[in-house]
């Protein structure tokens, strides 16, 4: 799986389209960089760019964008609602896929060093890349903003991490670092800027000061007025959406606004957002309002509606959700192939995809059939007494269907990692030992994936038996096929486990895996027989 880092540089220009487009072009022209989003704001006079690529590519893309901006932006003439300290105000690196936070810290250091050398400007590190606790918070580093830089740079405690401690009027200073995914989220109010800011002070973690902390952890906030839309906003940065989710910010602003008799008129996400952040909010509203929503697309629509994300412009999930935007990077995945292409790839003269991937695909189809039987029962007048039962039975199949699809590629990847170990050099004693260790790890991984497949299927047997008993009788054959498909997948998993176990030298591991695989196979046989017997008894 390719390494992907997200870079989100914020440039202090949101009004001049020629400048905005020139910076966009500098990123797009960088090999290995995919520009995903450009979000300019006239009132803030700031544009947020979002692009992804390998660690090396995004560092170069950010440098190319900065070089272009250096000749086009003059901070001595800049004004806008958003706090800022430089032409390239902040440039964070965020892990997306197959990279660690440490990798992103390295990106920030490389970028900061090269930027300072290239433009001879001061650069500060923040977030996970900060070299002192005082510089971990972006607002702390940016305190006083651009106007304070001439005096700030003279202070030893604010010496830049890279570059000269000299004020460059046209540029200011740049802050770079590594962080988790930050969500720039604004809630719209029909109010004054001052009223919006009052709410921001109440909810942000910093609150009104040390003696008056705010309500929401990992949230920064301020109030401003959006002239182009003629509304005020409580503007927030959610630094960790798993600590304070999107809906928590919205609901808290709504409560405060209600106390002030102020109307909330939707909200706005600036830039991109992780899918999980939206799904977490969807699940909150589903539980709170006792809704039955299982499709990912419908959950996203629910959040768009609940939070009013369309209020200032269309919110297109395909253009705003980071996972949807980077799926083009995953075109090589087996699950991205058409059915024809997948079958043809299985039939080709290559070892993978093979029986393991096919077993996972069959299992996903079995779970899908279980879900379909439930869907064909739920909401129909003749079965309305079973609605509560179907609300309970459908989600396990739907969730398993998606999880089992991921195993199609996981099995192929596990096999390929073992094959890579086989090709390692074996010319010296050390190389032979390293190769043998990698081969054993590869084999254990190749055993672990099909065993996990069988374990996942094991959770479905009781649910499928209930579905056969209560589901739409017209779909009885579909439930029967679901049972046989899941049983076949477990047989496939069993055979893939046993063939790889024979070359594993760890006797304890081999014995434990063989025992568990045999137990899961027997359970599958017994459960399938019971389910088919129950189906036969329904007339």
């Amino acid at each position: 799986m390719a390494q992907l880092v997200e870079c989100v540089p914020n440039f202090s220009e949101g009004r001049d389209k020629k400048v905005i487009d020139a910076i966009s072009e500098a990123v797009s022209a960088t090999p290995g960089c995919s520009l995903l989003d450009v979000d300019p704001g006239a009132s803030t006079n700031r544009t947020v760019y979002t692009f992804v690529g390998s660690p090396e590519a995004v560092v170069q893309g950010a440098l190319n964008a900065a070089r272009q901006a250096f000749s086009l932006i003059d901070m001595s003439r800049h004004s806008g609602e958003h706090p800022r300290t430089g032409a390239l105000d902040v440039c964070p690196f965020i892990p997306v896929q197959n990279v660690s936070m440490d990798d992103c810290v390295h990106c920030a250091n490389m970028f900061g060093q090269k930027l300072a050398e290239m433009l001879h400007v001061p650069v500060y590190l923040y977030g996970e890349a900060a070299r002192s606790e005082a510089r971990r918070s972006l607002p702390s580093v940016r305190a006083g903003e651009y106007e304070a830089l001439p005096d700030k740079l003279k202070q030893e405690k604010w010496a830049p991490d890279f570059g000269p401690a000299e004020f460059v009027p046209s540029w200011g200073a740049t802050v770079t670092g590594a962080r988790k995914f930050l969500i720039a989220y604004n809630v719209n109010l029909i109010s004054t800027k001052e009223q919006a800011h009052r709410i921001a002070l109440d909810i942000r973690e910093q609150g009104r000061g040390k003696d008056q902390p705010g309500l929401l952890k990992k949230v920064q906030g301020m109030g401003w007025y959006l002239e182009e839309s003629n509304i005020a906003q409580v503007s927030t940065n959610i630094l960790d959406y798993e600590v304070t989710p999107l809906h928590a910010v919205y609901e808290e602003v709504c409560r405060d606004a209600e106390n002030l008799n102020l109307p909330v008129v939707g909200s706005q996400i600036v830039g991109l957002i992780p899918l999980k952040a939206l799904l977490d909010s969807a699940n909150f509203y589903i539980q709170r309002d006792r809704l039955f929503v299982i499709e990912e697309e419908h959950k996203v629509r629910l959040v768009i509606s609940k939070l009013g994300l369309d209020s200032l412009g269309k919110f297109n999930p395909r253009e705003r959700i980071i996972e949807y935007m980077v799926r083009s990077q995953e075109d090589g995945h087996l699950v991205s192939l058409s059915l024809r292409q997948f079958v043809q790839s299985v039939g080709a003269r290559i070892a993978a995809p093979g029986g393991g991937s096919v077993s996972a695909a069959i299992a996903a189809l079995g779970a899908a059939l279980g879900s379909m039987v439930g869907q064909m029962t739920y909401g129909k007048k003749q079965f309305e007494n079973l609605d509560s039962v179907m609300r309970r039975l459908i989600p396990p199949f739907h969730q398993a269907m998606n999880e089992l699809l991921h195993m199609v590629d996981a099995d192929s990847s596990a096999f390929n990692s073992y094959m890579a170990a086989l090709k390692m050099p074996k010319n010296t004693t050390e190389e032979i030992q390293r190769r043998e260790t990698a081969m054993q790890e590869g084999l254990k991984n190749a055993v672990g994936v099909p065993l996990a497949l069988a374990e996942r299927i094991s959770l479905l047997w009781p649910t499928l038996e209930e579905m056969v008993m209560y589901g739409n009788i017209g779909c009885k054959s579909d439930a029967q096929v679901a049972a046989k498909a899941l049983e076949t997948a477990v047989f496939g998993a069993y055979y893939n486990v046993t063939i790889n176990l024979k070359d594993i030298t760890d006797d304890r591991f081999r014995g434990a895996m063989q025992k568990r695989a045999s137990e899961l196979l027997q359970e599958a046989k017994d459960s399938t027989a019971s389910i088919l017997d129950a189906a036969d008894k329904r007339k």
Side-chain angles (χ1 to χ4, degrees), residues 452-474:
L453 174 70
E455 295 278 13
R456 187 66 186 84
I457 293 169
S458 174
L459 300 176
L460 293 177
W461 295 124
T463 312
L464 184 56
E465 187 147 13
E466 272 197 89
M467 187 65 80
V468 165
M469 292 170 58
Y470 297 111
N472 187 335
I473 188 67

Side-chain angles (χ1 to χ4, degrees), residues 32-326:
C33 284
S34 297
L35 182 62
L36 303 182
D37 188 60
V38 179
D39 199 335
S43 291
T44 57
N45 199 10
R46 182 183 188 86
T47 298
V48 179
Y49 298 81
T50 305
F51 58 95
V52 296
S54 68
E56 299 79 13
V58 294
V59 168
Q60 190 57 53
L63 289 170
N64 291 343
R67 184 186 294 110
Q68 184 69 272
F70 190 74
S71 63
L72 298 174
I73 298 175
D74 183 354
M75 283 302 294
S76 66
R77 295 184 292 185
H78 182 273
S79 65
E81 287 280 353
H82 200 288
R84 79 282 183 267
T85 196
L88 171 47
D89 182 50
V90 61
C91 185
F93 295 88
I94 302 108
V96 173
Q97 177 178 283
N98 204 28
V99 290
S100 66
M101 185 61 75
D102 285 343
D103 294 326
C104 291
V105 169
H106 179 68
C107 286
N109 277 276
M110 287 297 295
F111 171 73
Q113 181 180 346
K114 291 184 177 182
L115 181 70
E117 291 172 355
M118 179 177 72
L119 301 182
H120 306 289
V121 296
V123 180
Y124 292 95
L125 293 170
Y126 87 108
E128 296 299 319
R131 294 175 179 175
S132 69
E133 194 61 34
R135 297 189 183 186
R136 180 171 287 272
S137 165
L138 179 59
S140 296
V141 179
R142 201 160 50 190
E145 300 186 41
Y146 170 82
E147 287 75 14
L149 278 176
D151 292 330
K152 196 172 182 178
L153 285 163
K154 295 175 184 176
Q155 303 174 36
E156 185 177 344
K157 70 174 183 178
W158 285 111
D161 293 290
F162 300 105
E166 299 173 5
F167 180 55
V168 182
S170 65
W171 185 264
T174 292
V175 186
T176 186
R179 59 165 172 77
K180 290 184 176 181
F181 208 107
L182 177 150
I183 301 174
Y185 179 58
N186 305 330
V187 182
N188 309 325
L189 299 171
I190 297 178
S191 74
T192 65
K193 171 183 174 178
E194 291 74 19
Q195 289 170 318
H197 191 60
R198 178 177 167 184
I199 294 175
L201 293 176
D202 289 337
I203 69 165
R204 68 184 188 181
E205 183 173 19
Q206 180 186 354
R208 299 170 185 273
K210 290 183 178 180
D211 298 329
Q212 292 181 284
L215 295 168
L216 302 178
K217 300 293 185 183
K218 298 294 183 181
V219 174
Q220 299 168 340
M222 64 181 295
W224 64 34
Y225 202 83
L226 205 61
E227 295 288 350
E228 61 264 34
S229 300
N230 196 27
I231 57 167
Q233 288 186 319
V234 176
S235 176
T236 73
N237 284 336
I238 303 175
L239 305 181
D240 190 336
Y241 66 86
E242 292 183 318
V243 173
T244 298
L246 202 64
H247 60 267
V249 176
Y250 181 77
E251 294 294 330
E252 191 56 53
V253 171
C254 286
R255 275 189 287 272
D256 281 23
E258 184 178 4
N259 290 337
L260 296 173
N261 295 318
L262 300 174
V264 174
V265 286
S267 62
Q268 172 194 36
I269 289 169
V270 180
L272 303 184
I273 186 170
L275 176 62
K276 185 178 183 298
L278 291 177
L279 296 183
D280 286 349
S281 290
N283 290 333
F284 166 78
Y285 289 113
I286 288 168
Q287 292 177 16
R288 188 193 71 177
D289 300 341
R290 298 184 178 181
L291 307 175
F292 183 63
V293 184
I294 58 172
E295 296 289 344
E296 181 176 289
E297 177 187 357
H298 294 162
K299 289 183 177 182
V300 171
R301 287 185 183 180
L302 174 67
V303 177
I304 293 172
S305 174
K306 289 288 187 182
L307 303 185
L309 296 178
D310 274 336
S311 57
L312 297 182
K314 183 172 177 57
F315 183 92
N316 185 341
R318 299 292 160 190
E319 297 175 357
R320 305 302 297 279
I321 296 174
I322 184 73
E323 287 84 353
Y324 295 171
M325 294 292 289
V326 301

Side-chain angles (χ1 to χ4, degrees), residues 7-25:
C7 184
V8 190
N10 289 219
F11 285 91
S12 295
E13 177 54 70
R15 299 165 186 167
D16 190 329
K17 189 174 185 301
K18 290 183 180 179
V19 174
I20 295 168
D21 290 347
I23 296 172
S24 297
E25 179 57 32

Side-chain angles (χ1 to χ4, degrees), residues 431-503:
E431 286 180 347
I432 292 171
Q433 181 59 48
R434 191 158 45 237
R435 176 176 178 269
E436 179 61 26
T437 300
M439 287 171 56
Q440 288 298 308
E441 286 301 313
L443 284 169
K444 287 183 177 181
N445 193 26
V447 166
V449 173
L451 193 69
L453 174 70
E455 295 278 13
R456 187 66 186 84
I457 293 169
S458 174
L459 300 176
L460 293 177
W461 295 124
T463 312
L464 184 56
E465 187 147 13
E466 272 197 89
M467 187 65 80
V468 165
M469 292 170 58
Y470 297 111
N472 187 335
I473 188 67
C475 298
K476 182 171 80 169
S477 63
D478 300 295
Q480 291 167 316
V481 173
K484 291 302 290 184
L486 292 172
E487 181 192 41
T488 300
V490 176
F491 266 97
Y494 175 83
Y495 294 138
N496 275 274
V497 167
T498 54
I499 198 170
N500 287 306
L501 280 177
K502 63 183 178 61
D503 294 321

